[in-house]
Amino acid sequence: LADSDVEVSLRLEGKAEHRIDLRFQFAPMEITVGGDGWVVGRNGAGHGCRLLVTATAPLQTDLAEGRRQPLQGWTSPDYGQRRPAPMLIYSALTPLPLRIVSLIFPMDQPPAVVAAALEHRRIDLLFEDGMETLHIGDRDIVMERLSHAVTRPDFERPAPIC
């Protein structure tokens, strides 16, 4: 990933089934959730970010803004004030361990990761140059480096995001 990109990896340990919620509170802005898993957040000036969240178990995605029951999707510009603002919520009801990977890219550059796949509790992230794939499991992370770029038939490349 580039210096301006952010990657956050959470590894949750435990036994039995648990409900997990991962929340991203945005400032007031337009949020678009794509069918390919990518989320785009833009303010009125066109600045913003791209976000991809994937996990070793399927995640449900919910976008809350200005909800009162339960109270979520608000920001506070000052004491005693609140303004509706989008909150992105990823949820899973799954046995632990669980690994969740969040990738955040600025809008002014294309993301380095072009595809993500989930199979058998493993996350596979394909990088733009086709030379590296990151395999992330509940308990391990393995980087596969190729000697030459290839098109991987097991990944469907998503359409470019704005």
Side-chain angles (χ1 to χ4, degrees), residues 78 147 161-162:
D78 203 353
S147 59
I161 302 172
C162 303

Side-chain angles (χ1 to χ4, degrees), residues 27-100:
M29 64 175 59
E30 178 186 338
I31 300 292
T32 304
V33 180
D36 58 0
W38 285 95
V39 174
V40 176
R42 271 199 197 104
N43 66 14
H47 302 288
C49 66
R50 294 179 179 93
L51 171 69
L52 179 66
V53 176
T54 187
T56 54
L59 296 172
Q60 301 296 316
T61 305
D62 184 28
L63 187 60
E65 186 170 349
R67 285 194 188 156
R68 297 187 188 277
Q69 292 295 328
L71 193 62
Q72 55 190 357
W74 299 88
T75 59
S76 178
D78 203 353
Y79 181 78
Q81 299 178 2
R82 69 177 177 214
R83 304 272 187 272
M87 174 184 280
L88 193 57
I89 306 162
Y90 293 94
S91 302
L93 184 60
T94 186
L96 297 182
L98 173 70
R99 189 178 303 262
I100 303 173

Side-chain angles (χ1 to χ4, degrees), residues 90-114:
Y90 293 94
S91 302
L93 184 60
T94 186
L96 297 182
L98 173 70
R99 189 178 303 262
I100 303 173
V101 176
S102 306
L103 302 168
I104 305 170
F105 302 95
M107 284 299 295
D108 60 352
Q109 64 186 15
V113 174
V114 295

